Amino acid sequence: RAVAAYGEAANQAPPALVPSPFYPTGEMAKTCEVVAAGREDVCLKPLKMLSAYDEMRLRKASDALKAAGSSTPASDEAVRLIGLVEAKEWATLAGELGCTQPKTPDAAPKKCVTSVAGLDVAKLAAAVSKKDPALMTDALVKLAASL
């Protein structure tokens, strides 16, 4: 309960309804696209996150590639891409796929390449353009199974 001295108002945070013109940074940027104006602790538009099931599928695909024994440039690149998705490094992943960066951080990247280190990453590029971690997981699991 806030107590105010005579003639003073109690300290209250402003309502968190208006989107901020600034994009979140730091840890908040990993989970949120739009924060409230003046309230960087309130997320108005959360990012889609990996589910525990998706994380398990990515871990299994990565372990299978590492356990195969034959370290090829394609399998090493696939393991690296899986690591980027597991770490939720969406901007780095878009950069690795050669996507053109949007003018605003909340917009989806466009025009990604379809081949990286000899890997067919067209489905992964489409998932990155949609900013959908579940689709990214499906594309990477299928990619790892094809190696």
Side-chain angles (χ1 to χ4, degrees):
R1 183 172 154 228
V3 178
Y6 180 76
E8 294 180 2
N11 294 331
Q12 293 181 349
L17 302 173
V18 180
S20 173
F22 304 108
Y23 296 99
T25 58
E27 289 298 313
M28 194 67 159
K30 291 182 180 180
T31 59
C32 188
E33 281 189 83
V34 178
V35 293
R39 296 283 309 271
E40 289 77 26
D41 60 328
V42 177
C43 182
L44 295 179
K45 185 176 177 188
L47 288 171
K48 293 180 184 175
M49 301 303 288
L50 283 171
S51 67
Y53 178 66
D54 288 338
E55 289 176 357
M56 187 243 349
R57 290 176 62 205
L58 287 171
R59 197 174 326 107
K60 283 179 113 178
S62 178
D63 291 345
L65 286 173
K66 291 175 185 173
S70 61
S71 178
T72 64
S75 65
D76 291 343
E77 183 65 21
V79 168
R80 204 164 68 70
L81 291 174
I82 289 171
L84 289 174
V85 172
E86 285 178 327
K88 300 170 188 76
E89 296 289 340
W90 313 127
T92 307
L93 180 62
E96 290 294 321
L97 296 177
C99 302
T100 55
Q101 291 300 319
K103 290 182 172 79
T104 59
D106 62 334
K110 302 287 183 200
K111 298 180 185 172
C112 302
V113 297
T114 57
S115 178
V116 173
L119 295 172
D120 181 20
V121 292
K123 289 182 182 177
L124 179 60
V128 168
S129 293
K130 292 179 182 175
K131 295 179 116 179
D132 190 344
L135 292 177
M136 291 179 209
T137 300
D138 290 340
L140 282 170
V141 167
K142 289 177 184 175
L143 181 69
S146 70
L147 295 178

